Amino acid sequence: MRHRRFLTSVALVVTGSFVLAGCSGGEASTDIEDKSSDFGFNAEGLPIVDETLTLSFGGSKAPLAPEFSEMELVQQWEKDTNIAIDWENLPDQVYAEKKNLMLASGDLPDVLFNTGLSDAEIVENGTNGTLLPLEDLIEEHAPTLSAILEERPDIRAAITASDGHIYTLPSVEELGILQYPNFLFINKSWLDALGLPVPSTIDEYHAALEAFATQDPNGNGAADEIPLSFRTDSFCANPHDLIAALGGQPENNDHRIVRDGKVEFTANTDGYKQGVEALADWYADGLIDPESFSQDDAAYLSKGKSATPVLGSFFWWELKEMVGDDRVDDYVHVGILEGVDGDRLASVANHQEINRGAMAITSSNEYPSATMRWADRLFEPVMSAQSNWGPIGVTLEENADGILVQIPAAAGESEGERRQRVAPGGPKITTAEDFESVVAPEPRALERQEMVKEYYLPYKANDAYPPVMLSNEELDQVSFANADINTLVKEKFASWIVKNTIGDEWDAYIGQLESLGVDDVVATYQQAFDRFQKGGE
């Protein structure tokens, strides 16, 4: 027997298949007419159903991924569970366009897998009944996930909306590297040619950049050297640690950090101003690439691979990706520089390892119990590893210690490309403990992990803002204000460095931030942070 339904939530309410009833005290309960038993539902063991049940799944997939039904791991899931899946997962951009139409029309698959839902979309479609609340289903039919959430209240808090409901399942990968993505590298071959040491202080670093700009380290007789290049609002190319070294202000893309339990806005402080002023002086002296404020990733990455070596120093996540195989030995990692006040400050980004939106069950689904049992298998550590990197025997194999390790990719294919082709993603949890006892990090991830532990964690300057799910009201309070505030900060950062006008414009800028509601935004984030610290209550 096969099942495929694309029903609106209104139709479900009318027919009685799905009823959402409000209760006193602001709580809600869900009464679902679950038809899993029609297919011989088994509360434990495999298969999950005795007769083949087909569910419709929609969502996003990686650009190189084939149809999910062609993946070996996905085919194994169907054999194990007797649940067949009619997949319609699309490349990100295509899915993003279809997702909005789908949610607006109510023409829904049974499950969203790699949902691509923003926090606002999760909250809106959870509260309006488009997405089923999952906490009771988790308690009754997801023993693996329930045990994890019991042990890890922070994960539970991250996926719990302010109304107390869980509308999506998580994806967690705890490598400890996402919050320190901006690695600073410098051209050591140039340093050696000029008789300079690898810098350890901000003053030594500045002196090296000056030497790159005024001498001829690439030896071609042309003034074509780029002493320092970076990107703004990038995942991994931001000069935040220079702001911290020059002004003592930890910074990140959100301009929002946490210190001592207090949420702080970073881009209106004296330390931030001091850091920007110093970078403006560097720019005036020709030390900063003028394209740093406008270049995209493609243009940025091309600078490290130009025919003539021109790049002196840069921020990026992975050295080889920036400069290519032939030049990796020419560069060294700098780490955190001692700042003007004698401190080393590693800015912490808000990139999250606990992510919401890996999977959601929609109001079209008449078999939520069977669906939740199916999803729960993906949270078993070995299965999570395969969902993330690919199946055992294809991308993973056990070493002598029983730990899953990467099988080297075939010639002409990178590990990242292979991963897209064989790993469906979706809900999964690989904790820091799992990386020690179940699956080893990818070699490139392990390298970053070791760099973070040695060069960044000892100098952690702030806490990241945690993966808090804001309420509808809180989202209304911050969304538009944040967009205007972040646009202003970005524009002024570039303008002040290029034109060196921060001294003249600072007071007016502070007034603009206040008029845009920066204090109210911080207060809203503090409220949500305090709720998160209490476990999402």
Side-chain angles (χ1 to χ4, degrees), residues 223-234:
D224 55 357
E225 288 85 0
I226 301 172
L228 169 63
S229 191
F230 53 78
R231 287 199 59 214
T232 54
D233 287 346
S234 164

Side-chain angles (χ1 to χ4, degrees), residues 316-471:
W316 195 246
W317 179 259
E318 184 176 357
L319 176 59
K320 182 170 31 175
E321 188 173 22
M322 186 70 181
V323 302
D325 290 313
D326 295 341
R327 294 180 184 166
V328 291
D329 293 334
D330 292 338
Y331 291 83
V332 293
H333 178 233
V334 176
I336 297 298
L337 297 162
E338 181 182 305
V340 294
D341 57 3
D343 293 332
R344 296 180 190 267
L345 301 174
S347 299
V348 181
N350 292 330
H351 305 314
Q352 303 298 338
E353 294 185 318
I354 302 173
N355 294 295
R356 295 179 282 273
M359 175 173 159
I361 301 177
T362 77
S363 55
S364 290
N365 192 316
E366 294 182 323
Y367 310 93
S369 295
T371 305
M372 182 55 69
R373 278 215 62 211
W374 182 93
D376 191 50
R377 295 187 70 236
L378 306 189
F379 292 107
E380 297 169 1
V382 172
M383 189 62 76
S384 283
Q386 295 180 88
S387 297
N388 208 354
W389 291 284
I392 294 171
V394 175
T395 60
L396 299 171
E397 62 184 358
E398 283 193 8
N399 66 11
D401 297 322
I403 305 297
L404 294 173
V405 296
Q406 294 282 320
I407 299 172
E413 181 181 45
S414 71
E415 282 79 3
E417 291 171 335
R418 179 182 64 181
R419 182 177 181 178
Q420 291 187 45
R421 294 186 174 102
V422 299
K428 54 192 177 296
I429 295 178
T430 305
T431 65
E433 293 77 12
D434 292 331
F435 277 116
E436 295 179 356
S437 61
V438 177
V439 60
E442 290 180 287
R444 57 181 181 166
L446 179 60
E447 181 181 3
R448 295 170 190 159
Q449 196 175 50
E450 292 172 346
M451 292 168 72
V452 166
K453 289 179 181 178
E454 180 176 356
Y455 295 101
Y456 293 89
L457 277 178
Y459 309 112
K460 178 181 178 180
N462 62 280
D463 292 322
Y465 190 81
V468 179
M469 184 182 291
L470 274 60
S471 67

Side-chain angles (χ1 to χ4, degrees), residues 56-360:
S56 57
F57 277 42
S60 66
K61 66 176 183 178
L64 298 180
E67 296 297 323
F68 279 5
S69 60
E70 299 174 10
M71 290 187 178
E72 178 180 317
L73 184 63
V74 171
Q75 293 171 355
Q76 187 61 49
W77 289 345
E78 179 174 344
K79 293 177 183 177
D80 292 342
T81 64
N82 213 16
I83 292 178
I85 297 172
D86 192 352
W87 294 94
E88 193 177 357
N89 284 62
L90 305 169
D92 288 339
Q93 185 173 354
V94 178
Y95 170 67
E97 297 172 358
K98 181 169 183 175
K99 174 190 67 176
N100 296 329
L101 177 63
M102 175 183 65
L103 292 172
S105 68
D107 188 18
L108 302 165
D110 297 313
V111 170
L112 296 178
F113 188 91
N114 299 326
T115 72
L117 296 173
S118 67
D119 284 357
E121 289 169 334
I122 292 172
V123 173
E124 177 184 357
N125 289 283
T127 54
N128 71 18
T130 300
L131 307 180
L132 298 189
L134 304 177
E135 60 277 0
D136 290 342
L137 288 166
I138 292 172
E139 182 177 352
E140 294 172 14
H141 300 296
T144 300
L145 179 57
S146 292
I148 294 172
L149 298 183
E150 180 69 25
E151 184 176 343
R152 291 290 302 273
D154 57 324
I155 298 178
R156 178 181 288 276
I159 61 175
T160 301
S162 61
D163 63 5
H165 291 303
I166 295 173
Y167 297 111
T168 60
L169 299 179
S171 172
V172 180
E173 184 180 330
E174 291 185 329
L175 281 167
I177 58 178
L178 294 182
Q179 293 176 348
Y180 300 95
N182 303 298
F183 290 176
L184 179 61
F185 295 92
I186 196 166
N187 194 320
K188 189 175 186 301
S189 66
W190 287 8
L191 293 174
D192 292 343
L194 300 175
L196 296 172
V198 176
S200 62
T201 71
I202 192 67
D203 289 338
E204 291 175 351
Y205 182 69
H206 178 259
L209 298 185
E210 278 191 322
F212 292 170
T214 58
Q215 302 183 47
D216 186 23
N218 66 5
N220 68 346
D224 55 357
E225 288 85 0
I226 301 172
L228 169 63
S229 191
F230 53 78
R231 287 199 59 214
T232 54
D233 287 346
S234 164
F235 176 82
C236 60
N238 305 281
H240 299 323
D241 290 327
L242 295 183
I243 296 290
L246 293 165
Q249 175 61 65
E251 172 66 315
N252 60 36
N253 284 358
D254 298 321
H255 317 297
R256 182 173 63 254
I257 64 173
V258 178
R259 286 192 285 194
D260 299 324
K262 298 298 181 183
V263 179
E264 302 176 14
F265 183 74
T266 59
N268 62 353
T269 67
D270 290 341
Y272 179 83
K273 179 185 178 185
Q274 182 179 335
V276 174
E277 284 177 322
L279 289 179
D281 291 338
W282 289 19
Y283 186 89
D285 292 337
L287 308 186
I288 296 176
D289 180 6
E291 296 180 352
S292 292
F293 310 99
S294 59
Q295 58 193 337
D296 60 15
D297 276 354
Y300 185 58
L301 293 172
S302 70
K303 286 183 165 66
K305 306 179 188 72
S306 58
T308 299
V310 297
L311 189 56
S313 186
F314 60 90
F315 287 93
W316 195 246
W317 179 259
E318 184 176 357
L319 176 59
K320 182 170 31 175
E321 188 173 22
M322 186 70 181
V323 302
D325 290 313
D326 295 341
R327 294 180 184 166
V328 291
D329 293 334
D330 292 338
Y331 291 83
V332 293
H333 178 233
V334 176
I336 297 298
L337 297 162
E338 181 182 305
V340 294
D341 57 3
D343 293 332
R344 296 180 190 267
L345 301 174
S347 299
V348 181
N350 292 330
H351 305 314
Q352 303 298 338
E353 294 185 318
I354 302 173
N355 294 295
R356 295 179 282 273
M359 175 173 159

